[in-house]
Amino acid sequence: SYSYANGNPITLKDPTGLFGEWGGRSIAGFGTHQYVYWKPDRPDLVNYAALGIPAGTKEFTMGFYAPSSGYLEAGIYYPGSENTLGQSDFAGHDQRRSLGRTMEIGGLSGEAEAQAINTMGGALGDYNNSSVIYPSTGATLRGTGVNSNSGINTLANIANLQSSFNSFNPPGWSSGANLLLPAQSFNSASIQKQVTI
């Protein structure tokens, strides 16, 4: 099958072969953990220093995770990263694309894509990794606790990509994907305002 244009070169376009995608990784056979994958069309406009990753990194994922600390933590993963948060997102993304568990973030110019990356990266950097306790299993099953999917929903909201994220419907149950992280989990008043709106 085609890997060009998200496997559909008839109706989708990706002239440079570079794009951003929402991704959904299967959890425990029925749940879905969501993240965002970037392969920037305009890396020259990406603020790699603010992202905390090497300049010119060709592809990376952003997401929220539940490590042993018990708190929801933000992370960026890329090839060769010492940060293991998100390794499973990045390593299996191509396979998930072939399984229909990804969706291209369409309609963005290279400049708009870089702006979205920088905005999301700024929010990740401003997020307090010890502010949100990962929800209990019961809260997760009821869909009432904010979790990693809520984090991606929040990033989409902050970067004005909410409608694109809302149309992403990977197989499985995406608990918390309709919730936003608490505004107080971010340090900046400007980001808190964006989360509250």
Side-chain angles (χ1 to χ4, degrees):
S1 66
Y2 288 94
S3 60
Y4 173 83
N6 205 21
N8 190 350
I10 304 301
T11 59
L12 299 177
K13 296 178 181 177
D14 180 25
T16 63
L18 307 174
F19 47 81
E21 293 176 308
W22 305 114
R25 175 166 50 90
S26 178
I27 301 290
F30 70 94
T32 298
H33 158 81
Q34 297 182 4
Y35 60 93
V36 62
Y37 163 92
W38 294 110
K39 191 170 185 179
D41 184 42
R42 291 290 308 273
D44 57 306
L45 298 178
V46 173
N47 187 345
Y48 287 99
L51 296 179
I53 64 178
T57 300
K58 293 186 179 186
E59 53 184 330
F60 49 93
T61 56
M62 297 176 167
F64 290 81
Y65 309 93
S68 59
S69 69
Y71 289 97
L72 185 66
E73 293 187 14
I76 298 177
Y77 190 82
Y78 56 92
S81 171
E82 294 180 9
N83 174 13
T84 59
L85 290 177
Q87 182 174 2
S88 297
D89 292 348
F90 183 86
H93 185 77
D94 286 344
Q95 181 183 17
R96 278 180 220 105
R97 187 183 296 129
S98 69
L99 296 173
R101 299 189 68 90
T102 68
M103 187 189 87
E104 186 173 345
I105 303 172
L108 295 180
S109 66
E111 292 80 4
E113 180 188 69
Q115 182 177 3
I117 292 169
N118 292 336
T119 299
M120 287 184 176
L124 285 174
D126 195 62
Y127 174 75
N128 183 335
N129 279 331
S130 59
S131 62
V132 176
I133 297 176
Y134 203 83
S136 66
T137 302
T140 299
L141 291 174
R142 289 189 301 273
T144 57
V146 295
N147 57 25
S148 57
N149 295 336
S150 311
I152 293 301
N153 183 35
T154 304
L155 290 184
N157 184 66
I158 291 170
N160 295 316
L161 295 174
Q162 195 70 55
S163 61
S164 172
F165 179 74
N166 288 343
S167 64
F168 177 47
N169 189 26
W173 181 52
S174 299
S175 173
N178 61 333
L179 302 174
L180 294 173
L181 296 178
Q184 296 76 17
S185 60
F186 295 90
N187 298 315
S188 163
S190 61
I191 292 181
Q192 289 175 6
K193 185 177 180 182
Q194 287 178 288
V195 174
T196 303
I197 294 174

Short mmCIF file of all heavy atoms in Angstrom, two decimals, residues 57 85 175:
data_model
loop_
_atom_site.label_atom_id
_atom_site.label_comp_id
_atom_site.label_asym_id
_atom_site.label_seq_id
_atom_site.Cartn_x
_atom_site.Cartn_y
_atom_site.Cartn_z
N THR A 57 16.13 17.65 14.17
CA THR A 57 15.54 16.32 14.36
C THR A 57 14.43 16.14 13.33
O THR A 57 13.52 16.96 13.24
CB THR A 57 14.98 16.16 15.79
OG1 THR A 57 16.05 16.32 16.72
CG2 THR A 57 14.34 14.80 15.98
N LEU A 85 10.14 8.08 27.80
CA LEU A 85 8.73 8.41 27.70
C LEU A 85 8.36 8.57 26.23
O LEU A 85 8.95 9.36 25.52
CB LEU A 85 8.42 9.71 28.44
CG LEU A 85 8.50 9.69 29.96
CD1 LEU A 85 8.25 11.07 30.52
CD2 LEU A 85 7.52 8.69 30.53
N SER A 175 -10.41 6.78 26.27
CA SER A 175 -10.87 7.40 27.51
C SER A 175 -10.18 8.74 27.74
O SER A 175 -8.98 8.87 27.56
CB SER A 175 -10.56 6.47 28.68
OG SER A 175 -10.84 7.10 29.92
#
